[in-house]
Structure formats: C-alpha cells, structure tokens
Amino acid sequence: MDNSKLNIKEFLDKDEQKDLLRFLTAGSVDDGKSTLIGRLLFDSKKIYEDQLDALERDSKRMGNAGEHIDYALLLDGLKAEREQGITIDVAYRYFSTNNRKFIIADTPGHEQYTRNMITGGSTANAAIILVDARTGVITQTRRHTYLISLLGIKHVVLAVNKMDLVNFDKKVFDDIVAEYSEFVKPLNIPDVTCIPLSALEGDNVVDKSDRTPWYEGKSLLNYLETVPIDLDRNYEDFRYPVQYVLRPNLNFRGFCGKIASGVIRKGDEVMALPSRKTSKVKSIVTYDGELEEAFPPLCVTLTLEDEIDISRGEMIVKPENLPLESRNFEAMLVWMDEEAMDVNKQFYIKQTTNTTRAKIDSIKYKVDVNTMEKSNVEKLSLNEIGRVVFTTGKELFFDPYTKNKQTGAFILIDPITNNTSAVGMIIDKLDSKDLVHDDALVTINLKELGIEENHFNAIKKVCEEMAKQGISINLKY
C-alpha cells in the first residue's frame, strides 16, 4: 500500500474515533448567537468557497453587520429570519476539528419559542449562553439558564459578547460574571465557565485575543474541544429498554435495543421487568460481531441463557440495581401544543420504548420562566412549564431525570391529533395515597389470591386492555 492510501486510511480511522459534542446556543435577540456560530465555522475553515461567495454577496445585500461580513446569514436560512434579523427555527450545523466533532443547535431566544429551545437542547451536552456586554444579565439570560438546568445540561459557557463595544473593560466582564454566578448557584449546574469575546471581530472565539490580556482562560473553541463529556453518561445503573424481539430462525432469539445507561458483560445476571424473571447474558451481538461488554449509547442484541417472555416496552436490568416502578409519579412538564392542556383528556405517554395511557392527576404549580415564581393554575398553555402529577395505565420503569436522562424523560401524545403535546422530566414516583383523586385505581395482589406467578403476564395484558377503557388496575405479586 502506498503512503497516500495509508495516510487517507489513518485520517479516516482517526476521524471515526473522535467523540461528538452536541451543544446549543441561547441568548436574547441581537446578542449574536448566529454571528458567533458563523464565526466559529468561518475561523475554523469549515465553509466551502461557494458558501463564502454567497455569504459575502448576501452580507452586502441584506446583512446587519455594516462593513463586516454578516456571519449570522450562515444560519438564519428562513426568509422571515433574514427579514427580521432574528432566529425562529432551530438551526443545526455540523463541523469538526482535529480533536472533536460538533453538532450545534442554534436555538431562538424569544419566550414564544421556548418549545424550540427545549427541542434543540434535549440532546445537548453543553450550552453557550450569550449576553451583551452592554446590558449584562437580563431576564432572558435567567430564563435560558433555568431551561438549561431543567434539561440537565451539565456544562454551561456564559459568553460575554460584544466586548469590543465596551473597550474590552475587565470590570464590565467581572461585574457580569459576579451577577450570573450568584443567580446560577441554586440551579445546581456543575460546570459554569465565563468567556469574554467579540463574535463579530473574532476575539477569543477560535484564538485567544491580545485585546483581553487580563483573561487567562481558554478561547471558546479550545473550551469546546476539551470539555470532558465522557463521564456525563450514567454508567452505574444498567437499563436496557427492549425495542423488539429478533427471531430470524429457530436457533436464535435476541432482544434488540439501545443501552440507556450502565454497562453489561457476557455472563452478567439480569432481570426482566415487569415479570422479575432472571437469567444470564449469553451473548452481546452486533452487526460487526459479538462483544464482551457494551455500554451507552450502543445499540445491541442481547441473548439470554434461559427462555424468558420479554416484549417491546419491557426492560432488562440487573437484579441488585432496579429502577423505580410505578403508575404514579410527578414530573416537570413543558407544554408544546398550540391547544391548551385539557386535564380531563387521556393522553398516550411514551417513555423509553414503553407506550401506555396517562392522565393528569393534578398540577402542583406553574413556573414563571422569567421570574422563577410559582403559581397555582388549572391548565398549562403553549410554552408554559409546570410540576404535574400523573397516573398511567400500566407501570413504568424509570429513574429520576437528574439521575438518568434516558429513563427519566417522556413525551405526551394527543390521542386525537397525534401531536406531541408535552415533554416531561420525571422527578420521583408517588404513592397512590398522595394523589389528589384516583377513582379508577384498583390494586390486586395475585399472590394473596393464590394465582401462580407464571400467569402474571397473561393477566397483565388483560389489565392493559381494560386500562384503555379507563379502568385502571394495579397488579402486584
């Protein structure tokens, strides 16, 4: 093999091994989010020549940056966005450097687009919150930070932009950092970094700037390339929601799915929920062959040593480390439907691979995302956030969202329109006695009735059908 082919192979192998950082940008109108990302792409040489020609042409025709190139036009692709100079839709951009691959979600800052920001941030590892150095921490800054803490994003950059307009004054930067640090304390975000920059002129975006000799930290790109995200996943609690059962022939029966959290090895003892039957992992099968161990976010097929009846929506875990199991729980809910919440409606809830009916038992309070104040309401409307209590048609297996994002998140689906009505983050389970009303709930203990355990699944399926008619039965053994 000649050297050129070898070099290409080395490059591709190295590129394949790079890890991926997903991050979102948030800020109020004119803080420069789109300009910052455009600058990142431009300065890291990730723009094709034809894109650059179009950018220079569009900047003269419709740009808002005076003599400068308007980098925001790289992202604000919708006609309405360019006309108004604002971001409306979530723009995703992909780029990579020698050290890492990136997916950027440029999210709109307006309160009326809260649901867009929640969508863009749902898979993010990090967030960049922009503030204008002239105005400092404002209401939108607090709102975006609260939403980011709600999403469980662990790494936050406060990017103090437009430092060129305040002559790169250290005191201006220090005052903004002090105010933000005080606000962010109760939100329990573990990693907050503050960077002074000018997105338009490129200071501290890709390279350190000579105009901020008093700033000793990293440039923004350097931070993004080095922020450690490997440990953000939950490797302790093994959770394997079953996607489907693979039966290509008589000799193979495997359970396919994506590992939500934890690590699994051949020979490990596992338990299937809800049946609580146990077995051992016989093999971990992938398209490329068998593995000795697997971890998130791998998609694999597990085969077990014993024949156990497991179907889609059920979960494989380890016997000594079980998730919470309940039909009653409370969660933070972001309402995403144009149609306001109807508390009397039965929704579908989708959590991991599990789908069942759910009803809203009560709304404990609504959070004003601008002031953090809590108020009593009877329903939630578009973009509103509240703490809500649910009862589901069958038991769900979950962890609190703060501990495990994959098993603690869910969506509510309107059964009539099929719209995604809301997204939720589970806080904890509730006992049925704590519910405001639970008139349809009946609990049957099969063991007390003398019914053998192997009939559990058959009776459970009958109860699920009854739940669709509004008759909720809670089975125990």
PDB file of all heavy atoms in Angstrom, residues 321-354:
ATOM      1  N   ASN A 321     -29.907  -3.820  41.133  1.00  0.00           N
ATOM      2  CA  ASN A 321     -29.994  -2.384  40.836  1.00  0.00           C
ATOM      3  C   ASN A 321     -31.246  -2.135  40.004  1.00  0.00           C
ATOM      4  O   ASN A 321     -31.201  -2.146  38.773  1.00  0.00           O
ATOM      5  CB  ASN A 321     -28.721  -1.956  40.094  1.00  0.00           C
ATOM      6  CG  ASN A 321     -28.701  -0.469  39.797  1.00  0.00           C
ATOM      7  OD1 ASN A 321     -29.723   0.192  39.763  1.00  0.00           O
ATOM      8  ND2 ASN A 321     -27.513   0.068  39.568  1.00  0.00           N
ATOM      9  N   LEU A 322     -32.366  -1.934  40.672  1.00  0.00           N
ATOM     10  CA  LEU A 322     -33.654  -1.830  39.983  1.00  0.00           C
ATOM     11  C   LEU A 322     -34.091  -0.378  39.823  1.00  0.00           C
ATOM     12  O   LEU A 322     -33.816   0.453  40.695  1.00  0.00           O
ATOM     13  CB  LEU A 322     -34.731  -2.594  40.749  1.00  0.00           C
ATOM     14  CG  LEU A 322     -34.492  -4.095  40.955  1.00  0.00           C
ATOM     15  CD1 LEU A 322     -35.630  -4.690  41.769  1.00  0.00           C
ATOM     16  CD2 LEU A 322     -34.367  -4.820  39.623  1.00  0.00           C
ATOM     17  N   PRO A 323     -34.775  -0.055  38.725  1.00  0.00           N
ATOM     18  CA  PRO A 323     -35.335   1.295  38.594  1.00  0.00           C
ATOM     19  C   PRO A 323     -36.584   1.431  39.463  1.00  0.00           C
ATOM     20  O   PRO A 323     -37.073   0.446  40.033  1.00  0.00           O
ATOM     21  CB  PRO A 323     -35.710   1.360  37.111  1.00  0.00           C
ATOM     22  CG  PRO A 323     -36.008  -0.058  36.736  1.00  0.00           C
ATOM     23  CD  PRO A 323     -35.088  -0.903  37.580  1.00  0.00           C
ATOM     24  N   LEU A 324     -37.093   2.655  39.556  1.00  0.00           N
ATOM     25  CA  LEU A 324     -38.382   2.850  40.215  1.00  0.00           C
ATOM     26  C   LEU A 324     -39.461   2.249  39.316  1.00  0.00           C
ATOM     27  O   LEU A 324     -39.343   2.261  38.095  1.00  0.00           O
ATOM     28  CB  LEU A 324     -38.647   4.341  40.421  1.00  0.00           C
ATOM     29  CG  LEU A 324     -37.628   5.086  41.290  1.00  0.00           C
ATOM     30  CD1 LEU A 324     -37.897   6.585  41.258  1.00  0.00           C
ATOM     31  CD2 LEU A 324     -37.665   4.567  42.721  1.00  0.00           C
ATOM     32  N   GLU A 325     -40.501   1.748  39.939  1.00  0.00           N
ATOM     33  CA  GLU A 325     -41.567   1.062  39.189  1.00  0.00           C
ATOM     34  C   GLU A 325     -42.895   1.557  39.742  1.00  0.00           C
ATOM     35  O   GLU A 325     -43.216   1.320  40.892  1.00  0.00           O
ATOM     36  CB  GLU A 325     -41.409  -0.440  39.395  1.00  0.00           C
ATOM     37  CG  GLU A 325     -42.242  -1.299  38.501  1.00  0.00           C
ATOM     38  CD  GLU A 325     -41.939  -2.796  38.685  1.00  0.00           C
ATOM     39  OE1 GLU A 325     -40.843  -3.139  39.190  1.00  0.00           O
ATOM     40  OE2 GLU A 325     -42.791  -3.592  38.321  1.00  0.00           O
ATOM     41  N   SER A 326     -43.627   2.307  38.926  1.00  0.00           N
ATOM     42  CA  SER A 326     -44.865   2.874  39.456  1.00  0.00           C
ATOM     43  C   SER A 326     -45.779   3.338  38.332  1.00  0.00           C
ATOM     44  O   SER A 326     -45.342   3.553  37.203  1.00  0.00           O
ATOM     45  CB  SER A 326     -44.543   4.062  40.375  1.00  0.00           C
ATOM     46  OG  SER A 326     -45.723   4.604  40.922  1.00  0.00           O
ATOM     47  N   ARG A 327     -47.051   3.496  38.688  1.00  0.00           N
ATOM     48  CA  ARG A 327     -48.015   4.097  37.770  1.00  0.00           C
ATOM     49  C   ARG A 327     -48.276   5.553  38.134  1.00  0.00           C
ATOM     50  O   ARG A 327     -49.000   6.258  37.435  1.00  0.00           O
ATOM     51  CB  ARG A 327     -49.336   3.320  37.802  1.00  0.00           C
ATOM     52  CG  ARG A 327     -49.232   1.913  37.248  1.00  0.00           C
ATOM     53  CD  ARG A 327     -50.540   1.160  37.379  1.00  0.00           C
ATOM     54  NE  ARG A 327     -51.633   1.864  36.723  1.00  0.00           N
ATOM     55  CZ  ARG A 327     -52.651   2.422  37.366  1.00  0.00           C
ATOM     56  NH1 ARG A 327     -52.726   2.381  38.689  1.00  0.00           N
ATOM     57  NH2 ARG A 327     -53.605   3.026  36.699  1.00  0.00           N
ATOM     58  N   ASN A 328     -47.709   5.982  39.253  1.00  0.00           N
ATOM     59  CA  ASN A 328     -47.946   7.340  39.740  1.00  0.00           C
ATOM     60  C   ASN A 328     -46.611   8.059  39.944  1.00  0.00           C
ATOM     61  O   ASN A 328     -45.742   7.563  40.650  1.00  0.00           O
ATOM     62  CB  ASN A 328     -48.702   7.303  41.073  1.00  0.00           C
ATOM     63  CG  ASN A 328     -49.930   6.414  41.004  1.00  0.00           C
ATOM     64  OD1 ASN A 328     -50.742   6.567  40.110  1.00  0.00           O
ATOM     65  ND2 ASN A 328     -50.052   5.477  41.928  1.00  0.00           N
ATOM     66  N   PHE A 329     -46.460   9.214  39.332  1.00  0.00           N
ATOM     67  CA  PHE A 329     -45.212   9.961  39.505  1.00  0.00           C
ATOM     68  C   PHE A 329     -45.471  11.441  39.239  1.00  0.00           C
ATOM     69  O   PHE A 329     -46.501  11.825  38.678  1.00  0.00           O
ATOM     70  CB  PHE A 329     -44.126   9.439  38.555  1.00  0.00           C
ATOM     71  CG  PHE A 329     -44.469   9.553  37.098  1.00  0.00           C
ATOM     72  CD1 PHE A 329     -44.185  10.716  36.381  1.00  0.00           C
ATOM     73  CD2 PHE A 329     -45.082   8.502  36.428  1.00  0.00           C
ATOM     74  CE1 PHE A 329     -44.512  10.823  35.040  1.00  0.00           C
ATOM     75  CE2 PHE A 329     -45.403   8.602  35.078  1.00  0.00           C
ATOM     76  CZ  PHE A 329     -45.118   9.770  34.386  1.00  0.00           C
ATOM     77  N   GLU A 330     -44.514  12.265  39.667  1.00  0.00           N
ATOM     78  CA  GLU A 330     -44.617  13.686  39.315  1.00  0.00           C
ATOM     79  C   GLU A 330     -43.435  14.085  38.457  1.00  0.00           C
ATOM     80  O   GLU A 330     -42.362  13.487  38.537  1.00  0.00           O
ATOM     81  CB  GLU A 330     -44.740  14.569  40.560  1.00  0.00           C
ATOM     82  CG  GLU A 330     -43.663  14.438  41.586  1.00  0.00           C
ATOM     83  CD  GLU A 330     -43.934  15.342  42.788  1.00  0.00           C
ATOM     84  OE1 GLU A 330     -44.635  16.362  42.626  1.00  0.00           O
ATOM     85  OE2 GLU A 330     -43.453  15.024  43.882  1.00  0.00           O
ATOM     86  N   ALA A 331     -43.657  15.104  37.618  1.00  0.00           N
ATOM     87  CA  ALA A 331     -42.642  15.490  36.642  1.00  0.00           C
ATOM     88  C   ALA A 331     -42.732  16.974  36.339  1.00  0.00           C
ATOM     89  O   ALA A 331     -43.777  17.603  36.541  1.00  0.00           O
ATOM     90  CB  ALA A 331     -42.846  14.685  35.357  1.00  0.00           C
ATOM     91  N   MET A 332     -41.616  17.534  35.854  1.00  0.00           N
ATOM     92  CA  MET A 332     -41.646  18.885  35.285  1.00  0.00           C
ATOM     93  C   MET A 332     -42.082  18.727  33.832  1.00  0.00           C
ATOM     94  O   MET A 332     -41.530  17.898  33.097  1.00  0.00           O
ATOM     95  CB  MET A 332     -40.278  19.546  35.357  1.00  0.00           C
ATOM     96  CG  MET A 332     -39.802  19.826  36.774  1.00  0.00           C
ATOM     97  SD  MET A 332     -40.928  20.827  37.773  1.00  0.00           S
ATOM     98  CE  MET A 332     -40.857  22.410  36.928  1.00  0.00           C
ATOM     99  N   LEU A 333     -43.079  19.500  33.437  1.00  0.00           N
ATOM    100  CA  LEU A 333     -43.691  19.332  32.123  1.00  0.00           C
ATOM    101  C   LEU A 333     -43.592  20.628  31.326  1.00  0.00           C
ATOM    102  O   LEU A 333     -43.903  21.702  31.842  1.00  0.00           O
ATOM    103  CB  LEU A 333     -45.166  18.947  32.291  1.00  0.00           C
ATOM    104  CG  LEU A 333     -45.864  18.327  31.084  1.00  0.00           C
ATOM    105  CD1 LEU A 333     -45.324  16.921  30.838  1.00  0.00           C
ATOM    106  CD2 LEU A 333     -47.372  18.263  31.302  1.00  0.00           C
ATOM    107  N   VAL A 334     -43.130  20.533  30.071  1.00  0.00           N
ATOM    108  CA  VAL A 334     -43.104  21.683  29.160  1.00  0.00           C
ATOM    109  C   VAL A 334     -44.215  21.468  28.134  1.00  0.00           C
ATOM    110  O   VAL A 334     -44.177  20.497  27.371  1.00  0.00           O
ATOM    111  CB  VAL A 334     -41.743  21.805  28.439  1.00  0.00           C
ATOM    112  CG1 VAL A 334     -41.726  23.044  27.552  1.00  0.00           C
ATOM    113  CG2 VAL A 334     -40.591  21.836  29.446  1.00  0.00           C
ATOM    114  N   TRP A 335     -45.208  22.372  28.126  1.00  0.00           N
ATOM    115  CA  TRP A 335     -46.352  22.193  27.221  1.00  0.00           C
ATOM    116  C   TRP A 335     -45.972  22.690  25.829  1.00  0.00           C
ATOM    117  O   TRP A 335     -45.538  23.813  25.638  1.00  0.00           O
ATOM    118  CB  TRP A 335     -47.577  22.940  27.743  1.00  0.00           C
ATOM    119  CG  TRP A 335     -48.817  22.457  27.045  1.00  0.00           C
ATOM    120  CD1 TRP A 335     -49.512  23.082  26.069  1.00  0.00           C
ATOM    121  CD2 TRP A 335     -49.459  21.189  27.248  1.00  0.00           C
ATOM    122  NE1 TRP A 335     -50.561  22.296  25.646  1.00  0.00           N
ATOM    123  CE2 TRP A 335     -50.553  21.135  26.357  1.00  0.00           C
ATOM    124  CE3 TRP A 335     -49.219  20.115  28.100  1.00  0.00           C
ATOM    125  CZ2 TRP A 335     -51.404  20.034  26.291  1.00  0.00           C
ATOM    126  CZ3 TRP A 335     -50.067  19.018  28.041  1.00  0.00           C
ATOM    127  CH2 TRP A 335     -51.149  18.984  27.139  1.00  0.00           C
ATOM    128  N   MET A 336     -46.152  21.836  24.803  1.00  0.00           N
ATOM    129  CA  MET A 336     -45.648  22.137  23.460  1.00  0.00           C
ATOM    130  C   MET A 336     -46.744  22.201  22.407  1.00  0.00           C
ATOM    131  O   MET A 336     -46.457  22.378  21.220  1.00  0.00           O
ATOM    132  CB  MET A 336     -44.610  21.074  23.057  1.00  0.00           C
ATOM    133  CG  MET A 336     -43.465  20.984  24.032  1.00  0.00           C
ATOM    134  SD  MET A 336     -42.189  19.852  23.536  1.00  0.00           S
ATOM    135  CE  MET A 336     -41.229  20.862  22.426  1.00  0.00           C
ATOM    136  N   ASP A 337     -47.986  22.061  22.816  1.00  0.00           N
ATOM    137  CA  ASP A 337     -49.089  22.021  21.853  1.00  0.00           C
ATOM    138  C   ASP A 337     -49.751  23.397  21.761  1.00  0.00           C
ATOM    139  O   ASP A 337     -49.889  24.091  22.771  1.00  0.00           O
ATOM    140  CB  ASP A 337     -50.120  20.972  22.301  1.00  0.00           C
ATOM    141  CG  ASP A 337     -50.954  20.451  21.141  1.00  0.00           C
ATOM    142  OD1 ASP A 337     -51.132  21.200  20.166  1.00  0.00           O
ATOM    143  OD2 ASP A 337     -51.416  19.295  21.200  1.00  0.00           O
ATOM    144  N   GLU A 338     -50.156  23.762  20.524  1.00  0.00           N
ATOM    145  CA  GLU A 338     -50.878  25.035  20.344  1.00  0.00           C
ATOM    146  C   GLU A 338     -52.175  25.006  21.164  1.00  0.00           C
ATOM    147  O   GLU A 338     -52.626  26.028  21.668  1.00  0.00           O
ATOM    148  CB  GLU A 338     -51.229  25.227  18.858  1.00  0.00           C
ATOM    149  CG  GLU A 338     -50.037  25.165  17.910  1.00  0.00           C
ATOM    150  CD  GLU A 338     -49.249  26.460  17.847  1.00  0.00           C
ATOM    151  OE1 GLU A 338     -49.763  27.470  18.352  1.00  0.00           O
ATOM    152  OE2 GLU A 338     -48.125  26.448  17.313  1.00  0.00           O
ATOM    153  N   GLU A 339     -52.766  23.810  21.266  1.00  0.00           N
ATOM    154  CA  GLU A 339     -54.007  23.651  22.035  1.00  0.00           C
ATOM    155  C   GLU A 339     -53.661  23.516  23.513  1.00  0.00           C
ATOM    156  O   GLU A 339     -52.796  22.726  23.889  1.00  0.00           O
ATOM    157  CB  GLU A 339     -54.721  22.394  21.547  1.00  0.00           C
ATOM    158  CG  GLU A 339     -56.118  22.214  22.101  1.00  0.00           C
ATOM    159  CD  GLU A 339     -56.745  20.909  21.596  1.00  0.00           C
ATOM    160  OE1 GLU A 339     -56.670  20.644  20.380  1.00  0.00           O
ATOM    161  OE2 GLU A 339     -57.279  20.167  22.427  1.00  0.00           O
ATOM    162  N   ALA A 340     -54.317  24.303  24.364  1.00  0.00           N
ATOM    163  CA  ALA A 340     -54.012  24.282  25.802  1.00  0.00           C
ATOM    164  C   ALA A 340     -54.344  22.916  26.410  1.00  0.00           C
ATOM    165  O   ALA A 340     -55.135  22.138  25.857  1.00  0.00           O
ATOM    166  CB  ALA A 340     -54.791  25.380  26.515  1.00  0.00           C
ATOM    167  N   MET A 341     -53.750  22.629  27.554  1.00  0.00           N
ATOM    168  CA  MET A 341     -53.948  21.344  28.237  1.00  0.00           C
ATOM    169  C   MET A 341     -55.403  21.148  28.657  1.00  0.00           C
ATOM    170  O   MET A 341     -56.046  22.062  29.163  1.00  0.00           O
ATOM    171  CB  MET A 341     -53.052  21.322  29.491  1.00  0.00           C
ATOM    172  CG  MET A 341     -53.232  20.104  30.371  1.00  0.00           C
ATOM    173  SD  MET A 341     -52.451  20.318  31.992  1.00  0.00           S
ATOM    174  CE  MET A 341     -50.737  20.103  31.605  1.00  0.00           C
ATOM    175  N   ASP A 342     -55.901  19.942  28.420  1.00  0.00           N
ATOM    176  CA  ASP A 342     -57.215  19.543  28.928  1.00  0.00           C
ATOM    177  C   ASP A 342     -56.957  18.455  29.977  1.00  0.00           C
ATOM    178  O   ASP A 342     -56.585  17.332  29.648  1.00  0.00           O
ATOM    179  CB  ASP A 342     -58.074  18.998  27.780  1.00  0.00           C
ATOM    180  CG  ASP A 342     -59.446  18.514  28.253  1.00  0.00           C
ATOM    181  OD1 ASP A 342     -59.686  18.530  29.482  1.00  0.00           O
ATOM    182  OD2 ASP A 342     -60.259  18.106  27.405  1.00  0.00           O
ATOM    183  N   VAL A 343     -57.134  18.810  31.251  1.00  0.00           N
ATOM    184  CA  VAL A 343     -56.771  17.874  32.329  1.00  0.00           C
ATOM    185  C   VAL A 343     -57.674  16.649  32.365  1.00  0.00           C
ATOM    186  O   VAL A 343     -57.354  15.646  33.001  1.00  0.00           O
ATOM    187  CB  VAL A 343     -56.786  18.564  33.720  1.00  0.00           C
ATOM    188  CG1 VAL A 343     -55.642  19.544  33.834  1.00  0.00           C
ATOM    189  CG2 VAL A 343     -58.115  19.232  33.985  1.00  0.00           C
ATOM    190  N   ASN A 344     -58.809  16.714  31.676  1.00  0.00           N
ATOM    191  CA  ASN A 344     -59.722  15.564  31.665  1.00  0.00           C
ATOM    192  C   ASN A 344     -59.422  14.580  30.532  1.00  0.00           C
ATOM    193  O   ASN A 344     -60.018  13.510  30.456  1.00  0.00           O
ATOM    194  CB  ASN A 344     -61.180  16.049  31.548  1.00  0.00           C
ATOM    195  CG  ASN A 344     -61.571  16.910  32.726  1.00  0.00           C
ATOM    196  OD1 ASN A 344     -61.300  16.546  33.868  1.00  0.00           O
ATOM    197  ND2 ASN A 344     -62.173  18.066  32.462  1.00  0.00           N
ATOM    198  N   LYS A 345     -58.509  14.952  29.658  1.00  0.00           N
ATOM    199  CA  LYS A 345     -58.196  14.115  28.498  1.00  0.00           C
ATOM    200  C   LYS A 345     -57.216  13.014  28.892  1.00  0.00           C
ATOM    201  O   LYS A 345     -56.332  13.226  29.719  1.00  0.00           O
ATOM    202  CB  LYS A 345     -57.588  14.976  27.386  1.00  0.00           C
ATOM    203  CG  LYS A 345     -57.344  14.232  26.079  1.00  0.00           C
ATOM    204  CD  LYS A 345     -56.642  15.123  25.070  1.00  0.00           C
ATOM    205  CE  LYS A 345     -57.590  16.060  24.380  1.00  0.00           C
ATOM    206  NZ  LYS A 345     -56.933  16.819  23.284  1.00  0.00           N
ATOM    207  N   GLN A 346     -57.368  11.827  28.303  1.00  0.00           N
ATOM    208  CA  GLN A 346     -56.376  10.767  28.477  1.00  0.00           C
ATOM    209  C   GLN A 346     -55.371  10.847  27.336  1.00  0.00           C
ATOM    210  O   GLN A 346     -55.747  10.826  26.168  1.00  0.00           O
ATOM    211  CB  GLN A 346     -57.046   9.393  28.483  1.00  0.00           C
ATOM    212  CG  GLN A 346     -57.626   9.016  29.830  1.00  0.00           C
ATOM    213  CD  GLN A 346     -57.536   7.521  30.093  1.00  0.00           C
ATOM    214  OE1 GLN A 346     -57.137   6.743  29.240  1.00  0.00           O
ATOM    215  NE2 GLN A 346     -57.919   7.111  31.279  1.00  0.00           N
ATOM    216  N   PHE A 347     -54.102  10.959  27.677  1.00  0.00           N
ATOM    217  CA  PHE A 347     -53.039  11.053  26.678  1.00  0.00           C
ATOM    218  C   PHE A 347     -52.341   9.705  26.540  1.00  0.00           C
ATOM    219  O   PHE A 347     -52.503   8.815  27.368  1.00  0.00           O
ATOM    220  CB  PHE A 347     -52.004  12.102  27.106  1.00  0.00           C
ATOM    221  CG  PHE A 347     -52.542  13.501  27.162  1.00  0.00           C
ATOM    222  CD1 PHE A 347     -53.132  13.997  28.325  1.00  0.00           C
ATOM    223  CD2 PHE A 347     -52.476  14.327  26.055  1.00  0.00           C
ATOM    224  CE1 PHE A 347     -53.642  15.285  28.386  1.00  0.00           C
ATOM    225  CE2 PHE A 347     -52.975  15.622  26.098  1.00  0.00           C
ATOM    226  CZ  PHE A 347     -53.558  16.105  27.267  1.00  0.00           C
ATOM    227  N   TYR A 348     -51.551   9.579  25.484  1.00  0.00           N
ATOM    228  CA  TYR A 348     -50.583   8.490  25.421  1.00  0.00           C
ATOM    229  C   TYR A 348     -49.267   9.024  25.986  1.00  0.00           C
ATOM    230  O   TYR A 348     -48.889  10.164  25.696  1.00  0.00           O
ATOM    231  CB  TYR A 348     -50.349   8.019  23.975  1.00  0.00           C
ATOM    232  CG  TYR A 348     -51.457   7.176  23.416  1.00  0.00           C
ATOM    233  CD1 TYR A 348     -52.220   7.609  22.339  1.00  0.00           C
ATOM    234  CD2 TYR A 348     -51.743   5.918  23.965  1.00  0.00           C
ATOM    235  CE1 TYR A 348     -53.252   6.837  21.823  1.00  0.00           C
ATOM    236  CE2 TYR A 348     -52.768   5.128  23.452  1.00  0.00           C
ATOM    237  CZ  TYR A 348     -53.517   5.593  22.390  1.00  0.00           C
ATOM    238  OH  TYR A 348     -54.532   4.826  21.893  1.00  0.00           O
ATOM    239  N   ILE A 349     -48.598   8.219  26.782  1.00  0.00           N
ATOM    240  CA  ILE A 349     -47.281   8.595  27.276  1.00  0.00           C
ATOM    241  C   ILE A 349     -46.262   7.631  26.683  1.00  0.00           C
ATOM    242  O   ILE A 349     -46.488   6.428  26.643  1.00  0.00           O
ATOM    243  CB  ILE A 349     -47.233   8.583  28.827  1.00  0.00           C
ATOM    244  CG1 ILE A 349     -45.885   9.118  29.325  1.00  0.00           C
ATOM    245  CG2 ILE A 349     -47.504   7.203  29.404  1.00  0.00           C
ATOM    246  CD1 ILE A 349     -45.855   9.392  30.828  1.00  0.00           C
ATOM    247  N   LYS A 350     -45.159   8.179  26.141  1.00  0.00           N
ATOM    248  CA  LYS A 350     -44.084   7.347  25.599  1.00  0.00           C
ATOM    249  C   LYS A 350     -42.830   7.621  26.403  1.00  0.00           C
ATOM    250  O   LYS A 350     -42.334   8.743  26.443  1.00  0.00           O
ATOM    251  CB  LYS A 350     -43.858   7.656  24.123  1.00  0.00           C
ATOM    252  CG  LYS A 350     -42.888   6.675  23.464  1.00  0.00           C
ATOM    253  CD  LYS A 350     -42.822   6.854  21.968  1.00  0.00           C
ATOM    254  CE  LYS A 350     -42.078   5.728  21.280  1.00  0.00           C
ATOM    255  NZ  LYS A 350     -40.847   5.289  21.915  1.00  0.00           N
ATOM    256  N   GLN A 351     -42.359   6.573  27.088  1.00  0.00           N
ATOM    257  CA  GLN A 351     -41.165   6.687  27.938  1.00  0.00           C
ATOM    258  C   GLN A 351     -40.277   5.485  27.612  1.00  0.00           C
ATOM    259  O   GLN A 351     -40.726   4.348  27.671  1.00  0.00           O
ATOM    260  CB  GLN A 351     -41.588   6.709  29.416  1.00  0.00           C
ATOM    261  CG  GLN A 351     -40.455   6.766  30.408  1.00  0.00           C
ATOM    262  CD  GLN A 351     -40.187   5.409  31.052  1.00  0.00           C
ATOM    263  OE1 GLN A 351     -40.998   4.488  30.967  1.00  0.00           O
ATOM    264  NE2 GLN A 351     -39.043   5.288  31.695  1.00  0.00           N
ATOM    265  N   THR A 352     -39.037   5.722  27.224  1.00  0.00           N
ATOM    266  CA  THR A 352     -38.158   4.701  26.617  1.00  0.00           C
ATOM    267  C   THR A 352     -38.927   4.034  25.462  1.00  0.00           C
ATOM    268  O   THR A 352     -39.437   4.731  24.593  1.00  0.00           O
ATOM    269  CB  THR A 352     -37.624   3.675  27.646  1.00  0.00           C
ATOM    270  OG1 THR A 352     -38.696   2.910  28.198  1.00  0.00           O
ATOM    271  CG2 THR A 352     -36.846   4.357  28.760  1.00  0.00           C
ATOM    272  N   THR A 353     -39.075   2.710  25.472  1.00  0.00           N
ATOM    273  CA  THR A 353     -39.809   2.043  24.379  1.00  0.00           C
ATOM    274  C   THR A 353     -41.233   1.694  24.816  1.00  0.00           C
ATOM    275  O   THR A 353     -41.942   0.971  24.121  1.00  0.00           O
ATOM    276  CB  THR A 353     -39.081   0.747  23.972  1.00  0.00           C
ATOM    277  OG1 THR A 353     -38.944  -0.096  25.128  1.00  0.00           O
ATOM    278  CG2 THR A 353     -37.694   1.058  23.432  1.00  0.00           C
ATOM    279  N   ASN A 354     -41.630   2.210  25.945  1.00  0.00           N
ATOM    280  CA  ASN A 354     -42.909   1.864  26.561  1.00  0.00           C
ATOM    281  C   ASN A 354     -43.969   2.913  26.210  1.00  0.00           C
ATOM    282  O   ASN A 354     -43.733   4.109  26.389  1.00  0.00           O
ATOM    283  CB  ASN A 354     -42.701   1.827  28.085  1.00  0.00           C
ATOM    284  CG  ASN A 354     -43.677   0.904  28.776  1.00  0.00           C
ATOM    285  OD1 ASN A 354     -44.679   0.504  28.190  1.00  0.00           O
ATOM    286  ND2 ASN A 354     -43.402   0.584  30.014  1.00  0.00           N
TER     287      ASN A 354
END
